[in-house]
Amino acid sequence: MANLMDLLIDEDTGDLSIINGDFSLTSTSTESLRQRLLLRFGTWKGEWEYNTAFGTPYKQRLFAAGTTRDQADAEFIAQVNLESDVTAVKNVISSFDPITRSYKLSRIEAYVDNVIIDLSLAQPSTNSYSYPEPPEV
């Protein structure tokens, strides 16, 4: 299995993890891939000024009228396949409510160097995002 290591991001703060005054690295390739995918899924394509090609095309493809669960699953599979160490995606576990148009991606099973890894992406206790309140004019 590829042994890719990245700087570890603290899931509680979203900042780089520093232990004993030094940056930490991801401990496994699975942790590295999961972290990279969370960054990719958490970034809207076209929104990050330093690389507008990076991110998930939420506005461009996923929020279009008539998008189905299968189309959303296919887009997330395509995004996972953009990672160089992923050779295939076996399974996507998601839910979609057509009335509220609510889609939730829970887990992806991907092949990395012919070894299947289970990437749990839904951890509500650790992943929380909030946007700052805009200043009143």
Side-chain angles (χ1 to χ4, degrees):
M1 180 181 281
N3 193 15
L4 295 176
M5 297 297 174
D6 293 311
L7 291 170
L8 181 65
I9 295 177
D10 185 312
E11 290 187 2
D12 292 329
T13 65
D15 282 331
L16 292 175
S17 177
I18 299 175
I19 298 175
N20 297 327
D22 200 7
F23 292 111
S24 300
L25 297 174
T26 54
S27 58
T28 64
S29 295
T30 302
E31 183 180 38
S32 172
L33 178 59
R34 180 180 173 280
Q35 179 175 282
R36 285 181 278 136
L37 288 174
L38 286 173
L39 287 170
R40 181 179 296 281
F41 295 159
T43 304
W44 291 42
K45 187 174 188 172
E47 296 289 319
W48 188 37
E49 67 182 284
Y50 300 107
N51 183 353
T52 56
F54 179 79
T56 304
Y58 292 108
K59 283 195 258 183
Q60 297 88 344
R61 293 196 190 116
L62 294 172
F63 290 159
T67 301
T68 65
R69 177 181 171 185
D70 289 340
Q71 290 171 322
D73 286 350
E75 183 57 46
F76 281 102
I77 289 170
Q79 293 298 312
V80 171
N81 280 320
L82 290 175
E83 295 298 331
S84 61
D85 50 338
V86 173
T87 54
V89 175
K90 177 184 177 193
N91 197 13
V92 173
I93 298 174
S94 65
S95 61
F96 180 70
D97 183 344
I99 295 169
T100 62
R101 297 196 38 81
S102 171
Y103 177 86
K104 179 180 178 184
L105 178 63
S106 301
R107 191 171 80 220
I108 294 176
E109 295 172 356
Y111 283 97
V112 177
D113 294 336
N114 296 323
V115 175
I116 192 161
I117 57 174
D118 181 354
L119 300 165
S120 176
L121 299 170
Q123 292 185 331
S125 62
T126 59
N127 294 327
S128 62
Y129 303 97
S130 61
Y131 292 94
E133 292 294 322
E136 290 190 27
V137 182

